Amino acid sequence: MSGLTLRCAQNLCATALAEARALGAKISCAVVDSGGNLMAFARDDGAEIAGPVLAVDKAYTAVANRIATDELALLAAPGQPLYGIHATAQGRFVVFGGGIPLTLSDEVVGAIGVSGGTVDQDVRCARAAAQEFPTLTQDQGVGHAHV
């Protein structure tokens, strides 16, 4: 069992949406499995139209590169070692905050992506949900998760 179930993915989206509401943001949230396949998606009423694509691609970027997208942004800046990564994978890699990998027993089992607020709001919403991942996996009797 991967530790990332549909129920867990849906709960992660719900947590991100609750954080967004507390921040006054309207977001889209996506959770992908270890292969980058969409498991759960939610979008606030009135959220931006680009959010569904960006949320999925932020999650995909985080799982594919095994790094949070806000951290990847620093490595992908001009003059840095990963500059240009945003132009690979048919342009699917997103190099700004809002994507966070989900780890279970030192293995990346999926990722969450949030889009629609400011970059800071997206990061805060994704982190709020990712911090719930260990609790959600413990409730399911799955191994040790960490963010």
Side-chain angles (χ1 to χ4, degrees):
M1 177 183 230
S2 75
L4 182 58
T5 63
L6 175 60
R7 186 173 115 204
C8 179
Q10 291 170 328
N11 286 334
L12 290 168
C13 284
T15 299
L17 288 169
E19 181 69 13
R21 289 184 190 115
L23 296 172
K26 294 180 182 238
I27 63 158
S28 294
C29 177
V31 176
V32 299
D33 66 14
S34 62
N37 303 297
L38 185 62
M39 290 190 67
F41 177 83
R43 179 178 178 267
D44 260 328
D45 295 337
E48 70 177 5
I49 62 171
V53 172
L54 288 172
V56 173
D57 285 353
K58 286 180 184 186
Y60 179 83
T61 302
V63 78
N65 293 282
R66 294 178 168 83
I67 188 171
T69 58
D70 60 324
E71 295 173 34
L72 181 60
L74 300 174
L75 297 171
Q80 296 305 307
L82 295 181
Y83 178 67
I85 194 170
H86 63 282
T88 63
Q90 291 82 39
R92 192 164 182 200
F93 289 157
V94 178
V95 292
F96 48 90
I100 297 179
L102 302 168
T103 305
L104 183 64
S105 300
D106 295 323
E107 180 182 345
V108 175
V109 297
I112 185 166
V114 173
S115 185
T118 65
V119 172
D120 181 59
Q121 288 171 329
D122 290 352
V123 170
R124 288 177 63 183
C125 294
R127 283 208 175 118
Q131 288 171 350
E132 291 294 314
F133 186 58
T135 302
L136 294 170
T137 58
Q138 286 174 352
D139 291 346
Q140 296 175 42
V142 181
H144 182 263
H146 53 90
V147 178

